[in-house]
Amino acid sequence: MSEGADHLAEVRRRIAEAAKAAGRQPADVTLVAVSKTHGPERVRELLEAGHRVFGENRVQEAQDKFPALKADYPDLELHLIGPLQTNKARDAVALFDVIESVDRERLAGVLAREMERAGRRPPCFIQVNTGEEEQKAGILPAELDGFVASCRDVHKLPVVGLMCIPPVDEEPALHFALLRKMAERNGLAKVSMGMSADYETAVRLGATHVRVGSALFGARH
Ligand SMILES: *Cc1c(COP(=O)(O)O)cnc(C)c1O
């Protein structure tokens, strides 16, 4: 077994345990393997081990890495998890299967237009800045309900859930619980939360997607 396959088995085992402890089905949690900064050969290790869902935070890096991988594995599902500039929206709609970082009105409008143009509608998550951090992307909690309504009713975006990245120096559980509550309030079934350090906590608090990088691939270069 490759080292990647080894780590994958361990992370999957922990997700399953956390799910069961919370009375959830392990299959209801999707592991998004975050491969940013790692080469395609590392992604292939996980593909060969049967994994299919990956996350990248930059459009350009994903464009360099994933078209060839997708050609070999047509059922590969690629998530955009990083901030999206409007001038990259067209490329993002063409390449990604899920966009997790919709966070502002103008981007929602541009994405809607590009989806219409491309005839391709990748499901979207709205990123929420639950810690209200100035430097961090995401819509503020107080603006969320209005933004969800606008994405759905004005832009007709395929919004399926919410995503957050808690502040590094705070208890993530509070942010996860808040995100889940905001999703429920808005009738959204999916919540993307939890990274290498806290994905088990996120699963216990209802994550349907966890985004795990270093626990699978090791430290980033
Ligand atoms: C890099 C990244 C991750 C993965 O972080 P790890 O701590 O390595 O698991 C998850 N989500 C986002 C948005 C990221 O940019």
Side-chain angles (χ1 to χ4, degrees), residues 51-62:
H51 194 72
R52 289 294 180 271
V53 185
F54 295 88
E56 285 281 338
N57 69 339
R58 303 178 74 160
V59 176
Q60 178 68 58
E61 183 180 346

Side-chain angles (χ1 to χ4, degrees), residues 34 36 57 81-82 163 165 194-197 211-215 220:
V34 178
K36 67 188 186 209
N57 69 339
I81 61 169
M163 180 271 238
I165 309 169
M195 316 199 296
S196 290
R211 309 176 309 269
V212 178
S214 43
R220 280 183 285 276

Side-chain angles (χ1 to χ4, degrees), residues 12-90:
R12 278 188 178 155
R13 187 185 65 73
R14 288 187 179 206
I15 289 173
E17 266 182 18
K20 282 185 208 141
R24 305 183 60 208
Q25 297 295 328
D28 292 342
V29 182
T30 299
L31 171 61
V32 180
V34 178
S35 50
K36 67 188 186 209
T37 79
H38 298 290
E41 72 288 351
R42 304 295 309 281
V43 177
R44 279 187 195 277
E45 279 185 7
L46 295 203
L47 284 164
E48 280 158 20
H51 194 72
R52 289 294 180 271
V53 185
F54 295 88
E56 285 281 338
N57 69 339
R58 303 178 74 160
V59 176
Q60 178 68 58
E61 183 180 346
Q63 279 177 319
D64 293 342
K65 217 187 290 183
F66 275 87
L69 297 168
K70 279 187 149 195
D72 291 346
Y73 294 88
D75 57 342
L76 191 163
E77 181 180 299
L78 184 60
H79 291 225
L80 176 62
I81 61 169
L84 178 57
Q85 308 301 320
T86 49
N87 64 358
K88 293 278 172 71
R90 183 168 299 180

Side-chain angles (χ1 to χ4, degrees), residues 126-169:
I126 291 172
Q127 183 174 350
V128 187
N129 185 356
T130 57
E132 305 188 28
E133 295 172 280
E134 224 154 77
Q135 80 287 2
K136 196 165 271 175
I139 191 98
L140 292 172
E143 295 167 9
L144 175 68
D145 294 4
F147 184 56
V148 171
S150 161
C151 285
R152 280 175 170 158
D153 305 336
V154 179
H155 303 297
K156 317 278 187 211
L157 281 181
V159 178
V160 298
L162 302 181
M163 180 271 238
C164 78
I165 309 169
V168 286
D169 54 352

